[in-house]
Amino acid sequence: MPAAFLTTPRPPRRPCAPLLAPALALLMSMLVPGSGAAADAAPAGDAPAASPVAIAIHGGAGTISREAMTPEREARIRAALTEAARAGHAVLREGGTALDAVTAAITLLEDAPEFNAGRGAVLTSEGRVEMDASLMTGHDLEAGAVAGVRGIRHPILAARAVLEDSPHVMLVGRGAEDWARRAGLEFKDDDWFITPFRSEQLERLRSAEAGAARQDEAPWYSTVGAVALDAHGNLAAGTSTGGMSNKRFGRVGDSPIIGAGTYADNASCAVSATGHGEFFIRHVVAYRICAGMTLAGQGLAESADAVVNGLLTEVGGDGGVIALDARGRIAMPFNTPGMYRARIGVDGRLDVAIYGDE
Ligand code: ASP
């Protein structure tokens, strides 16, 4: 990216203590029960790294039931989650950054038509695809986001171009698309993004709205996201989405809002959210989980559970999060029947799950 694009100077990045962080993380993994590497638990290809590394991903939360799922669709979803988690983990095992791992996992999920991001994104009430994405790094609190973008094959790479090459945190619409074009990102025609599944979903919602059918379209938020801890002890989080099906054009949800759908801070945790975005924005969900740790002294699981199963459930905000702390501990609470999710923890073990009882 030519320097001429930078219209205002960037603030200096905070150093990420490259030497101290891995040593501390390793020490923590020895002190914290359950967070140490268990070599014999690692399936082939997911061997633990020397310093603890971990990744968690999601493909959205919602009314996901076995009855409404076909074996073929379930197999495709599990395969896509496995591939994305392994791709991110491979980056981490090779000493890559948490940002690279999150980006690697999300670009794969954006290409998988089963999920509501990139190809397969949901449609606006006008039948178009408008996408949002964001990324944040925990060692320097740098962030990049795009909202309401069209045609960008990988919105998460556009968010990354904003994070790395612009003096801004968020670009929307044409400005974001222009930035992505200048960064050399790939564009596709609208038709490339639209799957028959999403067109039918929009039709059902439109008829329900017009009173021609029962409003029986179950809320289903298949946004994608990833959180990662790298061998340098750094966290990152990212989220990418088409938003909510039948949304008003121009509507922006929580996914590109730093603090609502995405947050990362080495001092607490990295979070990516999925669910009814308006609730996640009002209650600043991702940041609130991190703040529970720094301000209220809660553990990761306690804080994430209090926000998702406590606060959000009380106010009627459906959804879930994936959260990861600097010790490699993972929490994935959701208050919907299911959430597409996968994790490779510090023990190197891969877990893929869909339903609430898994
Ligand atoms: N949170 C997203 C939004 O409201 C939807 C999702 O999670 O699928 O835009």
Side-chain angles (χ1 to χ4, degrees), residues 277-289:
E278 280 69 9
F279 289 87
F280 284 67
I281 295 172
R282 289 187 201 111
H283 296 281
V284 204
V285 164
Y287 175 73
R288 191 182 279 260
I289 290 170

Side-chain angles (χ1 to χ4, degrees), residues 216-277:
D216 59 356
E217 181 70 21
W220 193 348
Y221 314 101
S222 38
T223 285
V224 307
V227 290
L229 168 68
D230 66 29
H232 313 285
N234 291 323
L235 292 168
T239 312
S240 181
T241 189
M244 285 173 67
S245 194
N246 200 28
K247 68 184 181 183
R248 172 117 192 126
F249 68 88
R251 178 264 188 188
V252 174
D254 60 311
S255 307
I257 310 283
I258 297 302
T262 301
Y263 201 74
D265 183 351
N266 280 6
S268 51
C269 63
V271 178
S272 170
T274 169
H276 195 151

Side-chain angles (χ1 to χ4, degrees), residues 76-97:
R76 284 199 303 273
I77 287 168
R78 288 188 189 271
L81 291 170
T82 300
E83 188 190 5
R86 287 212 161 121
H89 193 248
V91 171
L92 299 171
R93 271 204 334 266
E94 284 152 21
T97 64

